[in-house]
Amino acid sequence: MRVVHLISGGETGGSKNHLLTLLSQFNKEEVSLLVMQKGALYDEAIESGIDVHLLDQSSRYDVRVISKLKRFLKSGGYDLLHTHGPRANLFGALVKRSTNIPWITTIHSDPKLDFLKGGIKGKVFTKINLWAISRIDHFFAVSERFKEDLISLGISGDKITTVYNGIDFSKGSYAKGDLTRKELNLNNSDFVTAMVARLHPIKGHEEVFQAVKSLQDPSFQLLLVGGGPEEDSLKSRVKELEIEDQVHFLGFRSDVPDIYQISDVGLLASYSESFPLALLEAGREDTPVIATDVGGVQHMVSDYGWVVPIKDSEALKSAFTKAINKKETGELAPMGRQFHEYASRNFSLEQLAEATEKMYKTFLEA
């Protein structure tokens, strides 16, 4: 079996981490990674010993990559193409007929919302994305709800397999313990919430800010980990709401486990997700979570956190208040430990790799 994973290469969040950890479980003679541009994904793949190759696309509009991709697939003797993300899906569709290689994708976000607030260009990209998706042979859905979302786009349920995401729970994956609250100008008495997410409209920062404002608790501290196109506007919004002393823009961080370790809860406020790894990463550090009811969050969080409706700042405020109360009564930390136990049993990296390999073999033998 020879499988190649195709992705743009500019990813910095969950899809990057998902792919790196998944490919680390496979023999490099069987599974390769092909990226269109250099970035953190390419560099980290090399460091991890993954068989990674570069198409070297100069921009997202560089169509010369089509012929490069065709040559790569034909010369590599690959049995299966596995794509990730809208750009990879588009080029997979463009070479499908000439390469005749079976094609699987994992969709990491709602394709109808990938280009939210993109204006006319965003609408055009969305139509192109949906066209590419209609040509894919098989889909990995990382939650049952996401499988239903794909079916709502007109995709046959027979072409979709649910494979839950997983992360590494081995000893080396945990926080190093080097980071302290003091380094981030936080007090031990603060209630610290970590939100690891791109600064993008779909991530729900506006509702989070409104909840922080209405909470009127200066000891409530919000750590925002990640970057993105909305950084300037979000900083302006924080200033407008006069919560600058409570919201900390930390940018991209390589010590996310340590961020979670010094936090009281992890937070996800997205309007759409599939099966967010950020929540599992919080659970790995014994940190309970507050999350919007998207994708497979209900199944993941279970009884070890709070699940709230999307775009509902009052519900977020209520969950913040309940978590604060749980900390005061000493019940919050045990919730985090229970979340860790549940997540490590059900959503490990080993389970993800085993299910993925099984699906590859089943699909190729069909």
Side-chain angles (χ1 to χ4, degrees), residues 321-365:
T321 301
K322 291 175 182 177
I324 291 170
N325 291 338
K326 288 282 188 182
K327 182 180 180 180
E328 292 175 350
T329 60
E331 299 173 89
L332 190 63
M335 283 181 66
R337 291 191 290 271
Q338 292 166 1
F339 182 33
H340 175 120
E341 293 172 6
Y342 173 74
S344 62
R345 286 197 311 269
N346 293 280
F347 310 117
S348 70
L349 180 57
E350 291 77 14
Q351 289 172 312
L352 169 63
E354 182 180 342
T356 301
E357 183 174 21
K358 180 180 179 180
M359 184 55 218
Y360 284 161
K361 292 178 178 178
T362 301
F363 181 69
L364 290 172
E365 292 170 358

Side-chain angles (χ1 to χ4, degrees), residues 1 3 5 18-27 30-31 82 106 140 142 162-168 277 346-362:
M1 179 180 66
V3 181
H5 288 253
H18 164 87
L19 195 51
L20 287 172
T21 52
L22 173 61
L23 296 190
S24 69
Q25 299 299 297
F26 285 88
N27 188 313
E30 292 184 330
V31 178
H82 190 156
T106 299
F140 282 169
V142 293
T162 301
V163 178
Y164 289 113
N165 264 345
I167 65 169
D168 187 4
L277 296 180
N346 293 280
F347 310 117
S348 70
L349 180 57
E350 291 77 14
Q351 289 172 312
L352 169 63
E354 182 180 342
T356 301
E357 183 174 21
K358 180 180 179 180
M359 184 55 218
Y360 284 161
K361 292 178 178 178
T362 301

Side-chain angles (χ1 to χ4, degrees), residues 142-264:
V142 293
S143 70
E144 284 297 320
R145 177 181 287 180
F146 211 62
K147 178 176 181 178
E148 294 171 5
D149 290 342
L150 291 172
I151 292 173
S152 73
L153 295 176
I155 297 167
S156 170
D158 294 337
K159 296 174 66 175
I160 308 168
T161 300
T162 301
V163 178
Y164 289 113
N165 264 345
I167 65 169
D168 187 4
F169 280 92
S170 64
K171 186 176 181 180
S173 65
Y174 291 85
K176 297 177 181 178
D178 297 332
L179 184 68
T180 65
R181 287 192 170 193
K182 185 178 181 180
E183 291 177 58
L184 298 179
N185 296 316
L186 303 170
N187 298 317
N188 289 332
S189 58
D190 288 334
F191 188 90
V192 180
T193 300
M195 183 175 178
V196 180
R198 287 180 298 137
L199 304 183
H200 184 278
I202 202 171
K203 297 300 183 179
H205 292 89
E206 172 61 27
E207 287 75 25
V208 173
F209 295 164
Q210 291 177 14
V212 173
K213 177 67 175 180
S214 62
L215 195 61
Q216 295 185 334
D217 181 354
S219 69
F220 185 94
Q221 298 290 310
L222 175 64
L223 307 180
L224 299 182
V225 180
E230 295 294 299
E231 182 171 352
D232 291 340
S233 62
L234 291 176
K235 286 182 176 178
S236 296
R237 183 59 173 150
V238 165
K239 186 175 182 180
E240 179 184 329
L241 291 171
E242 299 180 339
I243 53 175
E244 301 104 309
D245 292 338
Q246 294 178 257
V247 180
H248 309 264
F249 289 84
L250 302 184
F252 294 110
R253 303 277 302 206
S254 59
D255 58 350
V256 169
D258 291 87
I259 295 289
Y260 279 129
Q261 189 181 67
I262 66 168
S263 300
D264 294 298

Side-chain angles (χ1 to χ4, degrees), residues 70-85:
K70 289 179 182 178
R71 288 196 299 270
F72 181 88
L73 293 176
K74 289 180 179 179
S75 64
Y78 292 100
D79 303 302
L80 185 65
L81 172 65
H82 190 156
T83 59
H84 304 262

Side-chain angles (χ1 to χ4, degrees), residues 99-165:
T99 58
N100 199 34
I101 295 175
W103 177 18
I104 284 178
T105 191
T106 299
I107 299 183
H108 299 271
S109 57
D110 187 337
K112 301 188 299 296
L113 300 175
D114 280 336
F115 302 101
L116 186 67
K117 287 191 176 182
I120 295 176
K121 185 186 291 187
K123 292 180 181 179
V124 172
F125 285 168
T126 297
K127 288 184 178 181
I128 293 174
N129 191 23
L130 294 175
W131 169 79
I133 286 171
S134 70
R135 298 174 60 80
I136 295 171
D137 296 319
H138 201 84
F139 298 79
F140 282 169
V142 293
S143 70
E144 284 297 320
R145 177 181 287 180
F146 211 62
K147 178 176 181 178
E148 294 171 5
D149 290 342
L150 291 172
I151 292 173
S152 73
L153 295 176
I155 297 167
S156 170
D158 294 337
K159 296 174 66 175
I160 308 168
T161 300
T162 301
V163 178
Y164 289 113
N165 264 345

Side-chain angles (χ1 to χ4, degrees), residues 304-324:
Y304 313 116
W306 293 266
V307 181
V308 302
I310 64 171
K311 301 183 179 181
D312 191 334
S313 62
E314 283 300 314
L316 281 170
K317 175 187 174 183
S318 176
F320 291 158
T321 301
K322 291 175 182 177
I324 291 170

